[in-house]
Amino acid sequence: MLRLALLLVLFVVFARAFWRLVDGVLAGLGGGRDTPPRPVPMVRDPVCGTFVVPGRAVTLAGDRQPVFFCSTACRDKYRARTA
């Protein structure tokens, strides 16, 4: 009886592993269901060196293109240095 129970548990473990393998192969062939999001380009704050997402950064219109900051304090320090 114990042998039958152990064989049943072993069969369930192998069956589950087999189906996970098959599911992984099919997901790989189909391009995957859960693809990671595309990376977001980040810019570096010229004052403190922190990387920030341009959409959430504090900006200041520069000579050629905008300058991005992590906070208004860094923006103000930059203004004081360049003024």
Coordinates of all heavy atoms in Angstrom, one line a residue:
M1 N 0.8 -1.2 0.0 CA 0.0 0.0 0.0 C 0.9 1.3 0.0 O 0.6 2.2 -0.7 CB -0.9 0.0 1.2 CG -1.9 1.0 1.3 SD -3.1 0.8 -0.1 CE -4.2 2.1 0.2
L2 N 1.9 1.2 0.8 CA 2.8 2.4 0.9 C 3.5 2.6 -0.5 O 3.7 3.7 -0.9 CB 3.8 2.2 2.0 CG 4.9 3.3 2.2 CD1 4.1 4.6 2.6 CD2 5.9 3.0 3.3
R3 N 3.9 1.5 -1.1 CA 4.6 1.5 -2.4 C 3.7 2.1 -3.4 O 4.1 3.0 -4.2 CB 5.0 0.1 -2.8 CG 5.7 0.1 -4.2 CD 6.0 -1.3 -4.6 NE 7.3 -1.6 -4.0 CZ 7.9 -2.8 -4.2 NH1 7.3 -3.8 -4.8 NH2 9.1 -3.0 -3.6
L4 N 2.4 1.8 -3.4 CA 1.4 2.4 -4.4 C 1.3 3.9 -4.1 O 1.2 4.7 -5.1 CB 0.1 1.7 -4.2 CG -1.0 2.1 -5.1 CD1 -0.6 1.8 -6.6 CD2 -2.3 1.5 -4.8
A5 N 1.2 4.3 -2.9 CA 1.1 5.7 -2.6 C 2.3 6.5 -3.1 O 2.2 7.6 -3.6 CB 0.9 5.9 -1.1
L6 N 3.5 5.9 -2.8 CA 4.7 6.6 -3.3 C 4.8 6.7 -4.8 O 5.2 7.7 -5.4 CB 6.0 5.9 -2.7 CG 6.2 6.0 -1.2 CD1 7.4 5.2 -0.8 CD2 6.5 7.5 -0.9
L7 N 4.4 5.6 -5.5 CA 4.4 5.6 -7.0 C 3.4 6.6 -7.5 O 3.6 7.3 -8.5 CB 4.0 4.2 -7.5 CG 5.1 3.2 -7.4 CD1 4.6 1.8 -7.8 CD2 6.3 3.6 -8.3
L8 N 2.2 6.8 -6.8 CA 1.3 7.8 -7.2 C 1.8 9.2 -7.1 O 1.7 10.0 -8.0 CB 0.0 7.6 -6.4 CG -1.2 8.6 -6.8 CD1 -1.6 8.3 -8.2 CD2 -2.3 8.4 -5.8
V9 N 2.5 9.5 -5.9 CA 3.1 10.8 -5.7 C 4.2 11.0 -6.8 O 4.3 12.1 -7.3 CB 3.7 10.9 -4.3 CG1 4.5 12.1 -4.1 CG2 2.5 10.9 -3.3
L10 N 5.0 10.1 -7.0 CA 6.0 10.2 -8.0 C 5.5 10.4 -9.4 O 6.0 11.3 -10.2 CB 6.9 8.9 -8.1 CG 8.2 9.0 -8.9 CD1 9.1 10.0 -8.4 CD2 8.8 7.6 -8.9
F11 N 4.4 9.8 -9.8 CA 3.7 10.0 -11.0 C 3.2 11.4 -11.2 O 3.3 12.0 -12.2 CB 2.6 8.9 -11.2 CG 1.8 9.2 -12.5 CD1 2.3 8.8 -13.7 CD2 0.5 9.7 -12.4 CE1 1.6 9.0 -14.9 CE2 -0.2 10.0 -13.6 CZ 0.3 9.6 -14.8
V12 N 2.6 11.9 -10.1 CA 2.0 13.2 -10.1 C 3.2 14.3 -10.3 O 3.0 15.2 -11.1 CB 1.2 13.5 -8.8 CG1 0.9 15.0 -8.7 CG2 -0.1 12.7 -8.8
V13 N 4.3 14.1 -9.6 CA 5.4 15.0 -9.7 C 5.9 15.0 -11.2 O 6.2 16.1 -11.7 CB 6.5 14.6 -8.7 CG1 7.8 15.4 -9.0 CG2 6.0 14.9 -7.3
F14 N 6.1 13.8 -11.7 CA 6.7 13.7 -13.1 C 5.7 14.3 -14.1 O 6.1 15.0 -15.1 CB 7.0 12.3 -13.5 CG 8.4 11.9 -12.9 CD1 8.5 10.8 -12.1 CD2 9.5 12.6 -13.3 CE1 9.8 10.4 -11.7 CE2 10.8 12.2 -12.8 CZ 10.9 11.1 -12.0
A15 N 4.4 14.0 -13.9 CA 3.4 14.6 -14.8 C 3.4 16.1 -14.8 O 3.3 16.8 -15.8 CB 2.0 14.0 -14.5
R16 N 3.4 16.6 -13.6 CA 3.4 18.1 -13.5 C 4.7 18.7 -14.1 O 4.6 19.7 -14.8 CB 3.3 18.5 -12.0 CG 3.2 19.9 -11.7 CD 3.0 20.2 -10.3 NE 3.1 21.6 -9.9 CZ 2.1 22.4 -9.8 NH1 0.9 21.9 -10.0 NH2 2.3 23.6 -9.5
A17 N 5.8 18.1 -13.9 CA 7.1 18.6 -14.5 C 7.0 18.5 -16.0 O 7.4 19.4 -16.7 CB 8.3 17.8 -13.9
F18 N 6.5 17.4 -16.5 CA 6.3 17.3 -18.0 C 5.5 18.3 -18.6 O 5.8 19.0 -19.6 CB 5.8 15.9 -18.3 CG 5.5 15.7 -19.7 CD1 6.5 15.4 -20.6 CD2 4.2 15.7 -20.2 CE1 6.2 15.3 -22.0 CE2 3.9 15.5 -21.6 CZ 4.9 15.3 -22.4
W19 N 4.3 18.6 -18.0 CA 3.4 19.6 -18.5 C 4.0 21.0 -18.4 O 3.7 21.9 -19.2 CB 2.0 19.5 -17.9 CG 1.3 18.4 -18.4 CD1 0.9 17.3 -17.8 CD2 0.9 18.2 -19.8 NE1 0.3 16.4 -18.6 CE2 0.2 16.9 -19.9 CE3 1.0 18.9 -21.0 CZ2 -0.3 16.4 -21.1 CZ3 0.5 18.4 -22.1 CH2 -0.1 17.2 -22.2
R20 N 4.7 21.3 -17.3 CA 5.4 22.6 -17.2 C 6.4 22.8 -18.3 O 6.6 23.8 -18.9 CB 6.0 22.8 -15.9 CG 5.0 22.9 -14.8 CD 5.7 23.2 -13.5 NE 5.4 24.6 -13.2 CZ 6.0 25.3 -12.2 NH1 6.9 24.8 -11.5 NH2 5.6 26.6 -12.0
L21 N 7.1 21.7 -18.6 CA 8.1 21.7 -19.7 C 7.4 22.0 -21.1 O 7.9 22.8 -21.8 CB 8.9 20.4 -19.7 CG 9.9 20.2 -20.9 CD1 11.1 21.2 -20.6 CD2 10.4 18.8 -21.0
V22 N 6.4 21.2 -21.3 CA 5.6 21.4 -22.6 C 5.1 22.8 -22.7 O 5.2 23.5 -23.7 CB 4.5 20.4 -22.7 CG1 3.6 20.7 -23.8 CG2 5.1 19.0 -22.9
D23 N 4.5 23.3 -21.6 CA 4.0 24.7 -21.6 C 5.1 25.7 -21.8 O 4.9 26.7 -22.6 CB 3.3 25.0 -20.2 CG 2.6 26.3 -20.2 OD1 1.9 26.6 -21.2 OD2 2.7 27.0 -19.2
G24 N 6.3 25.5 -21.3 CA 7.4 26.4 -21.5 C 7.9 26.4 -22.9 O 8.2 27.5 -23.5
V25 N 7.9 25.2 -23.5 CA 8.3 25.1 -24.9 C 7.3 25.8 -25.8 O 7.7 26.5 -26.7 CB 8.5 23.6 -25.3 CG1 8.7 23.5 -26.8 CG2 9.7 23.0 -24.6
L26 N 6.0 25.6 -25.6 CA 5.0 26.2 -26.4 C 5.0 27.7 -26.2 O 4.8 28.5 -27.2 CB 3.6 25.6 -26.0 CG 3.4 24.2 -26.4 CD1 2.0 23.7 -26.0 CD2 3.5 24.0 -27.9
A27 N 5.2 28.2 -25.0 CA 5.3 29.6 -24.8 C 6.5 30.2 -25.5 O 6.5 31.3 -26.1 CB 5.4 30.0 -23.3
G28 N 7.6 29.5 -25.6 CA 8.8 30.0 -26.3 C 8.6 30.0 -27.8 O 9.1 30.9 -28.4
L29 N 7.9 29.0 -28.3 CA 7.6 29.0 -29.7 C 6.6 30.1 -30.1 O 6.7 30.6 -31.2 CB 7.1 27.6 -30.1 CG 8.1 26.5 -30.1 CD1 7.4 25.2 -30.4 CD2 9.2 26.7 -31.0
G30 N 5.7 30.4 -29.3 CA 4.7 31.4 -29.6 C 5.1 32.8 -29.2 O 4.3 33.7 -29.3
G31 N 6.3 33.0 -28.8 CA 6.7 34.4 -28.5 C 6.5 34.7 -27.0 O 6.9 35.8 -26.6
G32 N 6.0 33.9 -26.3 CA 5.8 34.1 -24.8 C 4.6 34.9 -24.5 O 4.2 35.8 -25.3
R33 N 3.9 34.6 -23.5 CA 2.7 35.4 -23.1 C 3.1 36.6 -22.2 O 2.4 37.6 -22.3 CB 1.8 34.4 -22.2 CG 1.1 33.4 -23.1 CD 0.2 32.6 -22.2 NE 0.7 31.2 -22.5 CZ 0.8 30.3 -21.6 NH1 0.5 30.5 -20.4 NH2 1.2 29.1 -21.9
D34 N 4.1 36.4 -21.4 CA 4.4 37.5 -20.4 C 5.7 38.1 -20.8 O 6.8 37.8 -20.3 CB 4.5 36.9 -19.0 CG 3.2 36.3 -18.5 OD1 2.2 36.9 -18.9 OD2 3.3 35.3 -17.8
T35 N 5.7 38.9 -21.9 CA 6.9 39.5 -22.3 C 7.2 40.7 -21.4 O 6.3 41.5 -21.0 CB 6.8 40.0 -23.8 OG1 5.7 40.9 -23.9 CG2 6.7 38.8 -24.7
P36 N 8.5 41.0 -21.0 CA 8.8 42.1 -20.2 C 8.5 43.4 -20.9 O 8.6 43.5 -22.1 CB 10.2 41.9 -19.8 CG 10.8 41.0 -20.9 CD 9.6 40.2 -21.4
P37 N 8.2 44.5 -20.2 CA 8.0 45.7 -20.8 C 9.3 46.3 -21.4 O 10.4 45.9 -21.0 CB 7.5 46.6 -19.7 CG 8.0 46.0 -18.4 CD 8.1 44.5 -18.7
R38 N 9.1 47.1 -22.4 CA 10.3 47.7 -23.0 C 11.0 48.6 -22.0 O 10.4 49.3 -21.2 CB 9.9 48.5 -24.2 CG 9.4 47.6 -25.3 CD 9.1 48.4 -26.6 NE 8.8 47.5 -27.6 CZ 9.1 47.7 -28.9 NH1 9.7 48.8 -29.2 NH2 8.8 46.8 -29.8
P39 N 12.3 48.7 -22.1 CA 13.1 49.6 -21.2 C 12.7 51.1 -21.5 O 12.5 51.5 -22.6 CB 14.5 49.3 -21.5 CG 14.5 48.6 -22.9 CD 13.2 48.0 -23.0
V40 N 12.8 51.8 -20.4 CA 12.5 53.2 -20.5 C 13.8 54.0 -20.5 O 14.7 53.8 -19.7 CB 11.7 53.7 -19.3 CG1 11.5 55.2 -19.3 CG2 10.4 53.0 -19.2
P41 N 14.0 54.9 -21.5 CA 15.3 55.6 -21.5 C 15.3 56.6 -20.3 O 14.3 57.2 -20.0 CB 15.2 56.4 -22.8 CG 13.8 56.5 -23.2 CD 13.2 55.3 -22.6
M42 N 16.4 56.7 -19.7 CA 16.6 57.5 -18.5 C 17.7 58.6 -18.8 O 18.6 58.3 -19.6 CB 16.9 56.7 -17.3 CG 15.8 55.7 -16.9 SD 16.2 54.8 -15.4 CE 15.6 56.0 -14.2
V43 N 17.6 59.7 -18.1 CA 18.6 60.7 -18.2 C 19.2 61.0 -16.9 O 18.6 60.7 -15.8 CB 17.9 62.0 -18.8 CG1 17.5 61.8 -20.2 CG2 16.8 62.5 -17.9
R44 N 20.4 61.6 -16.9 CA 21.1 61.8 -15.6 C 21.0 63.3 -15.2 O 21.1 64.2 -16.0 CB 22.6 61.5 -15.8 CG 23.4 61.5 -14.6 CD 24.7 61.0 -14.8 NE 25.1 60.3 -13.5 CZ 26.1 59.4 -13.4 NH1 26.8 59.1 -14.5 NH2 26.4 58.9 -12.3
D45 N 20.7 63.4 -13.9 CA 20.6 64.8 -13.3 C 22.0 65.3 -13.3 O 22.9 64.7 -12.7 CB 20.0 64.6 -11.9 CG 19.9 65.9 -11.2 OD1 20.7 66.9 -11.4 OD2 18.9 66.1 -10.4
P46 N 22.3 66.5 -13.8 CA 23.7 67.0 -13.9 C 24.2 67.5 -12.5 O 25.4 67.7 -12.3 CB 23.6 68.2 -14.9 CG 22.2 68.6 -14.8 CD 21.4 67.4 -14.6
V47 N 23.3 67.7 -11.5 CA 23.8 68.2 -10.2 C 24.1 67.0 -9.3 O 25.3 66.9 -8.8 CB 22.6 69.0 -9.6 CG1 23.1 69.5 -8.2 CG2 22.3 70.2 -10.4
C48 N 23.2 66.1 -9.1 CA 23.5 65.0 -8.1 C 23.8 63.7 -8.8 O 24.3 62.7 -8.1 CB 22.3 64.8 -7.2 SG 20.8 64.2 -7.9
G49 N 23.6 63.5 -10.1 CA 24.0 62.3 -10.8 C 22.9 61.2 -10.7 O 23.1 60.1 -11.2
T50 N 21.7 61.5 -10.2 CA 20.7 60.6 -10.1 C 20.1 60.4 -11.5 O 19.9 61.3 -12.3 CB 19.6 61.1 -9.2 OG1 20.1 61.3 -7.9 CG2 18.4 60.1 -9.1
F51 N 19.7 59.1 -11.9 CA 19.0 58.8 -13.1 C 17.5 59.0 -12.9 O 17.0 58.5 -11.9 CB 19.3 57.4 -13.6 CG 20.7 57.3 -14.2 CD1 21.8 56.9 -13.4 CD2 21.0 57.7 -15.5 CE1 23.0 56.8 -13.9 CE2 22.2 57.6 -16.0 CZ 23.3 57.1 -15.2
V52 N 16.9 59.7 -13.8 CA 15.4 60.0 -13.7 C 14.8 59.7 -15.1 O 15.4 59.7 -16.1 CB 15.1 61.4 -13.3 CG1 15.6 61.7 -11.9 CG2 15.8 62.4 -14.3
V53 N 13.5 59.3 -15.0 CA 12.7 59.1 -16.2 C 12.3 60.5 -16.7 O 11.8 61.3 -15.9 CB 11.4 58.3 -15.8 CG1 10.6 58.1 -17.1 CG2 11.8 56.9 -15.3
P54 N 12.5 60.8 -18.0 CA 12.2 62.1 -18.5 C 10.8 62.6 -18.3 O 10.5 63.7 -18.0 CB 12.6 62.0 -20.0 CG 13.5 60.9 -20.1 CD 13.2 59.9 -19.0
G55 N 9.8 61.6 -18.3 CA 8.4 62.0 -18.1 C 8.1 62.5 -16.7 O 7.1 63.2 -16.5
R56 N 8.9 62.1 -15.8 CA 8.6 62.4 -14.4 C 9.6 63.4 -13.8 O 9.6 63.8 -12.6 CB 8.6 61.2 -13.5 CG 7.6 60.2 -13.8 CD 7.6 59.1 -12.9 NE 6.5 58.1 -13.2 CZ 6.3 57.0 -12.6 NH1 7.1 56.6 -11.6 NH2 5.4 56.2 -12.9
A57 N 10.5 63.9 -14.6 CA 11.6 64.7 -14.2 C 11.2 66.2 -14.2 O 10.3 66.6 -14.9 CB 12.8 64.6 -15.0
V58 N 11.9 67.0 -13.4 CA 11.7 68.5 -13.4 C 12.6 68.9 -14.5 O 13.8 68.6 -14.6 CB 12.1 69.1 -12.1 CG1 12.0 70.6 -12.1 CG2 11.3 68.5 -10.9
T59 N 12.1 69.7 -15.4 CA 12.9 70.2 -16.6 C 13.2 71.6 -16.5 O 12.5 72.4 -15.9 CB 12.1 69.8 -17.9 OG1 10.9 70.5 -17.9 CG2 11.9 68.4 -18.1
L60 N 14.2 72.0 -17.3 CA 14.6 73.4 -17.4 C 15.1 73.5 -18.9 O 15.9 72.7 -19.4 CB 15.8 73.7 -16.5 CG 16.4 75.1 -16.6 CD1 15.3 76.1 -16.1 CD2 17.6 75.2 -15.7
A61 N 14.6 74.5 -19.6 CA 14.9 74.7 -21.0 C 16.4 75.1 -21.1 O 16.7 76.1 -20.6 CB 14.0 75.7 -21.7
G62 N 17.1 74.2 -21.8 CA 18.6 74.6 -22.0 C 18.8 75.3 -23.3 O 17.8 75.7 -23.9
D63 N 20.1 75.4 -23.7 CA 20.4 76.1 -24.9 C 19.9 75.3 -26.1 O 19.3 75.9 -27.0 CB 21.9 76.3 -25.0 CG 22.5 77.2 -24.0 OD1 21.7 78.0 -23.5 OD2 23.6 77.1 -23.6
R64 N 20.2 74.0 -26.2 CA 19.8 73.2 -27.3 C 18.6 72.3 -27.0 O 17.8 72.1 -27.8 CB 21.0 72.3 -27.7 CG 22.2 73.1 -28.2 CD 23.3 72.3 -28.6 NE 24.5 73.1 -28.8 CZ 25.7 72.6 -28.7 NH1 25.9 71.4 -28.4 NH2 26.7 73.4 -28.9
Q65 N 18.6 71.7 -25.8 CA 17.6 70.8 -25.4 C 17.3 70.9 -24.0 O 18.1 71.5 -23.2 CB 18.0 69.4 -25.8 CG 19.3 68.9 -25.4 CD 19.7 67.6 -25.9 OE1 19.2 66.6 -25.3 NE2 20.5 67.5 -26.9
P66 N 16.2 70.4 -23.5 CA 15.9 70.5 -22.1 C 16.9 69.7 -21.2 O 17.4 68.7 -21.6 CB 14.5 69.9 -21.9 CG 14.3 69.1 -23.1 CD 15.1 69.6 -24.2
V67 N 17.0 70.2 -20.0 CA 17.9 69.6 -19.0 C 17.0 69.0 -17.9 O 16.0 69.7 -17.5 CB 18.9 70.6 -18.3 CG1 19.8 69.9 -17.3 CG2 19.7 71.3 -19.4
F68 N 17.2 67.8 -17.5 CA 16.3 67.1 -16.6 C 16.9 67.0 -15.2 O 18.1 66.7 -15.0 CB 16.0 65.7 -17.1 CG 15.3 65.7 -18.5 CD1 16.1 65.5 -19.6 CD2 14.0 65.9 -18.6 CE1 15.5 65.6 -20.9 CE2 13.4 65.9 -19.8 CZ 14.1 65.7 -21.0
F69 N 16.1 67.1 -14.2 CA 16.5 67.1 -12.8 C 15.6 66.2 -12.0 O 14.4 66.0 -12.3 CB 16.5 68.5 -12.2 CG 17.3 69.5 -12.9 CD1 16.7 70.3 -13.9 CD2 18.7 69.6 -12.7 CE1 17.5 71.2 -14.6 CE2 19.4 70.5 -13.4 CZ 18.9 71.3 -14.3
C70 N 16.1 65.7 -10.9 CA 15.3 64.8 -10.0 C 14.4 65.6 -9.1 O 13.4 65.1 -8.6 CB 16.2 63.9 -9.2 SG 17.3 64.7 -8.0
S71 N 14.8 66.8 -8.8 CA 14.0 67.6 -7.9 C 14.1 69.1 -8.2 O 15.0 69.5 -8.9 CB 14.4 67.4 -6.4 OG 15.7 67.8 -6.2
T72 N 13.3 69.9 -7.6 CA 13.4 71.3 -7.8 C 14.6 71.9 -7.1 O 15.2 72.9 -7.6 CB 12.1 72.1 -7.2 OG1 11.9 71.7 -5.9 CG2 10.9 71.7 -8.1
A73 N 15.1 71.2 -6.0 CA 16.3 71.7 -5.3 C 17.5 71.6 -6.3 O 18.3 72.5 -6.4 CB 16.5 70.9 -4.1
C74 N 17.6 70.4 -7.0 CA 18.7 70.3 -7.9 C 18.6 71.3 -9.1 O 19.6 71.8 -9.5 CB 18.7 68.8 -8.5 SG 19.4 67.7 -7.3
R75 N 17.4 71.5 -9.5 CA 17.2 72.5 -10.6 C 17.7 73.9 -10.2 O 18.3 74.6 -10.9 CB 15.7 72.6 -11.0 CG 15.5 73.5 -12.2 CD 14.0 73.9 -12.4 NE 13.5 74.5 -11.1 CZ 12.2 74.6 -10.8 NH1 11.3 74.1 -11.6 NH2 11.9 75.2 -9.7
D76 N 17.3 74.3 -8.9 CA 17.7 75.6 -8.4 C 19.2 75.7 -8.2 O 19.8 76.7 -8.5 CB 17.0 75.9 -7.1 CG 15.5 76.0 -7.3 OD1 15.0 76.2 -8.5 OD2 14.7 75.8 -6.3
K77 N 19.9 74.6 -7.8 CA 21.3 74.6 -7.7 C 22.0 74.8 -9.0 O 23.0 75.5 -9.2 CB 21.8 73.3 -7.0 CG 21.6 73.2 -5.6 CD 22.1 71.9 -5.0 CE 21.7 71.7 -3.6 NZ 22.2 70.3 -3.1
Y78 N 21.4 74.1 -10.0 CA 21.9 74.2 -11.4 C 21.8 75.6 -11.9 O 22.7 76.2 -12.5 CB 21.2 73.2 -12.3 CG 21.7 73.2 -13.7 CD1 22.8 72.5 -14.1 CD2 21.0 73.9 -14.7 CE1 23.3 72.4 -15.4 CE2 21.4 73.9 -16.0 CZ 22.6 73.1 -16.4 OH 23.0 73.1 -17.7
R79 N 20.6 76.2 -11.7 CA 20.4 77.6 -12.1 C 21.4 78.5 -11.5 O 21.9 79.5 -12.1 CB 19.0 78.0 -11.7 CG 18.0 77.8 -12.7 CD 16.7 78.5 -12.3 NE 15.6 78.1 -13.0 CZ 14.3 78.2 -12.7 NH1 14.0 78.7 -11.5 NH2 13.3 77.8 -13.4
A80 N 21.7 78.3 -10.2 CA 22.6 79.2 -9.4 C 24.0 79.1 -10.0 O 24.8 80.1 -10.1 CB 22.6 78.9 -7.9
R81 N 24.4 77.9 -10.4 CA 25.8 77.6 -10.9 C 25.9 78.2 -12.3 O 27.0 78.7 -12.6 CB 26.1 76.1 -11.0 CG 26.5 75.5 -9.7 CD 27.1 74.2 -9.9 NE 26.4 73.4 -11.0 CZ 26.5 72.1 -11.1 NH1 27.3 71.4 -10.2 NH2 25.9 71.4 -12.0
T82 N 24.9 78.1 -13.1 CA 25.0 78.6 -14.5 C 24.6 80.0 -14.7 O 24.8 80.5 -15.8 CB 24.2 77.7 -15.5 OG1 22.8 77.7 -15.0 CG2 24.7 76.3 -15.4
A83 N 24.1 80.6 -13.7 CA 23.6 82.0 -13.9 C 24.8 83.0 -13.8 O 25.8 82.9 -13.4 CB 22.6 82.4 -12.9

